[in-house]
Amino acid sequence: MQFDTVIRGGKLVTASETTQADIAIRGERIAAIGKDLARGAAHGANILDARGRYVLPAGIDVHVHLALPFCGTVSADDYDSGTRAAACGGVTTVIDFAIPYGEETLQQGLDNWRAKAAGKACVDYTFHMAITKWDRHHKEIRKIFEQGIPTFKQFMIYEKEGWQADDAAIFAALEALKDLGGLLLVHAESSRVLDLLIARHHTPAEMKKHGAWLHVVTRPNFIEAEAIERVIRWTRETGGRAFIVHMSTGEGADLVKWAQATGVDILAETCVQYLTLDDRVFKQPDGRLFATCPQLKKPADVRRLWQGVRDGEVCNISTDTCTFTRKQKDLWKGDWTKIPMGMPGLETLMPAAYTDGVLKKRLTVNEFVNKLSTAPAKIMGLYPQKGSLAIGTDADLTVIHPTSKRRVDWKKMQTHCDWNPYQGRELAGFAEHTFCRGRQIVRDYAFVGANGWGRFVGRDHVGRA
Ligand SMILES: [Zn+2]
């Protein structure tokens, strides 16, 4: 066998075990795992010494927004900077949300997103399809499914943006996707009460007094919990399958755990920021920068979500990457309802989850691999092509040092942003080397990939973790 790359002597970590072995790549695939594989290397092959390192299946971020028109601007990371950031963070597959705007069809929305990515992406990508106008869009679901998109998304908020789905639309979508074997992702927040609370506090005096802290005041935990309760109910009654995106509250985790125990087919992800940051940041002078949707919650929620990651009701960890620069964030001019909501995340997903998860002994390194790669691959229909270290599967690998830390500094990052939520923090788990389908795209912590290497990955099913 003539191997193109041999990664020697590392600890191979999968969701279930850790073994010491060489791993060899030929073309885009993992070709061999075993001892002394360098003997089978082709002339001029890339031989990488990984002694003292972990070799993992690369990360999969199932929740990103690149070049998203939102909050009166467009998110700052596109398929160029966003996927470079992903590579340096050890992520080689991203799932973005194709969203139809205005009167667009699902097909137009999907075509728009495919065009944003084509020729630019440095890592592999695929999409969830947002259904924003159920009455018209439902007719297209099968056609979109047949194009490799079995996962759909509805928003329970964002009426003004024209994205909101009401209960009937969610109920009907669960039914329709059940028939096709798809999965419905739901942004669960209770819009009417949220609007009421926002209106109540949207006064010059309140805004002057509390600034960005009003995000916290107007999004108490029950805003998410009530909406999750409703999704659980519709999922139970339809016998459908739902996936709560970016779950941020302990109450949400309690509800999902209870629903799962009573046989409801519901899943929930959380995002790394809900595990590593909390709402005290809004008291900082630059607190506005941290505005996301949903908001960061309390330290008790952080603890409860980690528990859920361990126990299973939280099935994976993603980012909801939606980058906005300081200038974009400054569009708020003191009004918290106008802050573009979102932050950079792809580059720090694995480091932040590794540092606060594995190094703080909340997770084993195998559980870490499961939540960042294997489980999301299985749920989203990418496994075993992605999310595994099996012979014949895509050589999507990241090599990390188990303990060595690097200080986060936005000035040195790929992400197109002039601040970072982890600025100054020391994080381990940055990708020393990353491979995407056999090609090395990060070497010695430096990006060496290329635009256009990333490919659209069609999916024909969803699965279980
Ligand atoms: Zn999102």
Side-chain angles (χ1 to χ4, degrees):
M1 186 67 101
Q2 297 270 290
F3 303 130
D4 301 318
T5 299
V6 178
I7 303 170
R8 296 175 69 183
K11 281 193 175 139
L12 308 190
V13 185
T14 67
S16 56
E17 58 181 359
T18 306
T19 51
Q20 182 110 23
D22 296 350
I23 184 163
I25 300 168
R26 188 176 154 92
E28 299 188 352
R29 303 284 163 87
I30 295 173
I33 294 172
K35 299 282 174 212
D36 298 325
L37 296 182
R39 285 188 300 191
H43 181 70
N46 181 9
I47 311 284
L48 214 60
D49 182 1
R51 281 174 298 173
R53 307 292 194 269
Y54 286 141
V55 182
L56 324 171
I60 296 172
D61 188 348
V62 308
H63 192 150
V64 309
H65 303 279
L66 299 177
L68 177 74
F70 188 47
C71 301
T73 180
V74 178
S75 69
D77 273 313
D78 63 2
Y79 275 83
D80 178 21
S81 65
T83 60
R84 287 167 186 261
C88 290
V91 170
T92 63
T93 308
V94 299
I95 314 187
D96 196 343
F97 293 81
I99 306 178
Y101 281 72
E103 298 305 305
E104 286 175 358
T105 62
L106 293 187
Q107 189 65 56
Q108 287 167 325
L110 179 57
D111 292 347
N112 290 344
W113 252 266
R114 289 199 65 153
K116 286 178 207 259
K120 258 192 178 179
C122 306
V123 304
D124 286 352
Y125 58 91
T126 184
F127 305 104
H128 307 293
M129 185 78 236
I131 300 171
T132 53
K133 306 273 188 301
W134 173 257
D135 291 344
R136 293 193 291 110
H137 289 160
H138 74 93
K139 300 184 199 84
E140 291 183 272
I141 289 177
R142 181 181 293 274
K143 192 176 78 180
I144 298 297
F145 202 116
E146 286 166 358
Q147 291 168 70
I149 313 286
T151 48
F152 294 78
K153 158 96 173 270
Q154 287 179 323
F155 300 90
M156 295 172 84
I157 64 165
Y158 298 134
E159 184 179 25
K160 201 167 77 250
E161 287 77 1
W163 295 352
Q164 189 175 35
D166 65 12
D167 287 340
I170 292 168
F171 187 91
L174 282 163
E175 286 180 327
L177 290 171
K178 181 188 176 190
D179 290 342
L180 286 169
L183 178 65
L184 182 67
L185 284 65
V186 185
H187 177 138
E189 286 190 296
S190 201
S191 75
R192 299 284 174 242
V193 178
L194 173 60
D195 288 346
L196 172 77
L197 296 182
I198 289 173
R200 211 176 257 176
H201 294 277
H202 202 228
T203 67
E206 284 272 293
M207 289 195 279
K208 189 149 188 259
K209 193 163 163 209
H210 298 297
W213 181 253
L214 286 172
H215 267 306
V216 177
V217 174
T218 53
R219 278 186 151 87
N221 284 15
F222 64 76
I223 292 293
E224 179 176 86
E226 187 279 335
I228 291 178
E229 275 182 72
R230 247 185 302 146
V231 178
I232 289 170
R233 168 62 70 172
W234 303 141
T235 308
R236 184 193 302 278
E237 301 305 339
T238 57
R241 187 150 196 251
F243 179 102
I244 304 295
V245 296
H246 53 48
M247 186 168 71
S248 63
T249 60
E251 283 88 337
D254 289 341
L255 286 162
V256 169
K257 189 182 177 82
W258 159 78
Q260 289 173 342
T262 58
V264 181
D265 201 352
I266 189 156
L267 298 162
E269 69 173 359
T270 193
C271 301
V272 68
Q273 59 270 27
Y274 304 121
L275 296 168
T276 53
L277 300 166
D278 62 65
D279 65 13
R280 286 172 294 187
V281 297
F282 294 111
K283 296 284 193 190
Q284 297 173 193
D286 63 353
R288 71 189 185 286
L289 299 175
F290 292 80
T292 56
C293 184
Q295 295 314 305
L296 298 170
K297 300 299 196 297
K298 307 287 179 201
D301 296 293
V302 173
R303 285 193 294 276
R304 178 64 187 84
L305 289 167
W306 273 118
Q307 185 69 39
V309 171
R310 244 181 340 258
D311 291 353
E313 62 268 23
V314 178
C315 60
N316 71 286
I317 304 171
S318 64
T319 63
D320 200 3
T321 292
C322 194
T323 307
F324 294 107
T325 61
R326 283 175 179 274
K327 193 168 169 214
Q328 291 177 302
K329 292 278 185 180
D330 285 346
L331 289 168
W332 83 313
K333 299 192 175 64
D335 178 346
W336 91 100
T337 67
K338 298 202 166 62
I339 310 175
M341 292 184 287
M343 51 167 105
L346 275 159
E347 202 156 350
T348 46
L349 166 64
M350 298 195 58
Y354 182 85
T355 304
D356 277 21
V358 179
L359 293 188
K360 293 194 178 162
K361 303 209 181 310
R362 293 176 168 118
L363 297 179
T364 66
V365 68
N366 307 98
E367 287 168 329
F368 169 78
V369 166
N370 191 39
K371 296 296 177 178
L372 277 296
S373 182
T374 306
K378 286 178 173 173
I379 293 164
M380 297 302 169
L382 292 161
Y383 189 84
Q385 182 190 0
K386 308 285 188 192
S388 71
L389 289 185
I391 291 167
T393 64
D394 286 356
D396 291 343
L397 308 169
T398 177
V399 178
I400 65 170
H401 191 284
T403 53
S404 156
K405 292 183 174 172
R406 295 167 74 81
R407 186 182 294 274
V408 173
D409 183 0
W410 61 263
K411 293 190 196 79
K412 296 179 183 153
M413 299 177 91
Q414 296 291 331
T415 188
H416 182 239
C417 198
D418 52 1
W419 68 284
N420 192 281
Y422 301 102
Q423 184 71 16
R425 271 207 210 185
E426 299 270 353
L427 301 179
F430 280 102
E432 187 174 351
H433 308 287
T434 304
F435 291 82
C436 176
R437 274 181 295 102
R439 175 178 177 147
Q440 186 158 11
I441 59 171
V442 172
R443 178 182 282 276
D444 300 324
Y445 300 103
F447 179 78
V448 293
N451 296 114
W453 177 254
R455 200 184 278 164
F456 172 75
V457 185
R459 300 168 292 145
D460 60 6
H461 68 287
V462 294
R464 292 177 189 281

